Amino acid sequence: MKGVVFTEFLELVEEKFGYATVDHIIERSELSNDGAYTSVGTYDYHDLIRMVVELSQITGSRVPDLVKFFGHHMFHVFTKAYPELLRTTHCTFEFLPHVEKAIHVEMRKLYSDAELPSFRFEYPADNEIVMYYQSTRPFADLAEGLIEACAEHFGEPVRIQREDLAPHDGTQARFAITKL
Ligand code: HEM
C-alpha cells in the first residue's frame, strides 16, 4: 500500500488524538519498519490494520468506524491533491465510475506498484447506483468512508446500503447508493 496512506493516517491520528497516541500505536503494532513511512514508499497493508486495531483499543472506537472516518479524510486528501477531479465530475453518480475508469487507472500509471481495488456498477433506477467493491485487501470500510465523503462533498443526501459479499472479510462488498 502506498506510503501516502500511512503518512495521512498517522497525521490524522496526531491531529485527533495527539502525538502520544501516535507513539503508542507505533510502539505496540510491531511494524515492519518501526513506523518510518515516506509518502512515496510502498508498505505492507497489514501494518495499517495493526495500527487501527491498536487505535481502537486505546480510543474504544470500533475498527470499522475508525477506518470509515479515515476514508472521509482520504477523500479530502485526494481531491485536494487533484483538484481538477472535482471540476470534471459534478455529482456522486458521475464521480464514482470516474474513479474506476480514470482515477485509479492514472494512479496505476503513476505508481506501477499501486494496489488498487476494482469497482463494477449497476444502474437500477435514476436515483440509485450500485457499486461492487472488490480487492485483494480488506478495505470495504475505507471504500464506504470515501463514498460517504464523496456524497457529502457534492451536497447530495444519500442512503448507502452495504452488503458484505463472500468471503465476508471486507474484500468484497455491494453498496446500493440511493439519492434521497
Ligand atoms: C470515492 C471514491 C474512491 C473510492 C471509493 C476509492 C477506494 C479506494 C480503496 C478502498 C482503496 C484501498 C485499497 C484497496 O481497497 O484495495 C484505495 C486506494 C487508493 N486510491 Fe482510491 N478511491 C476513491 C477515490 C480516489 C481518488 C480521488 C484518488 C486519487 C486522486 C485515489 C487514489 C488512491 C490511491 C493512491 C490508493 C492507494 C493505492 C496503494 O495503496 O497502492 N482514490 N482507493
Side-chain angles (χ1 to χ4, degrees), residues 1 6 43-49 115 136-139:
M1 181 163 257
F6 292 81
Y43 306 93
D44 184 350
Y45 72 84
H46 291 101
D47 279 4
L48 185 67
I49 295 175
E115 300 172 321
T136 53
R137 295 156 299 281
F139 285 111

Side-chain angles (χ1 to χ4, degrees), residues 1-2 78 82 103-104 114-116 133 135 137 139 146:
M1 181 163 257
K2 294 308 295 174
F78 286 149
Y82 303 93
I103 300 173
H104 279 172
E115 300 172 321
L116 293 153
Y133 162 87
S135 177
R137 295 156 299 281
F139 285 111
L146 281 153

Side-chain angles (χ1 to χ4, degrees), residues 79-99:
T79 51
K80 213 168 154 189
Y82 303 93
E84 65 281 3
L85 290 175
L86 298 175
R87 284 197 290 273
T88 46
T89 54
H90 306 94
C91 64
T92 310
F93 286 13
E94 236 178 67
F95 189 89
L96 294 175
H98 190 67
V99 173

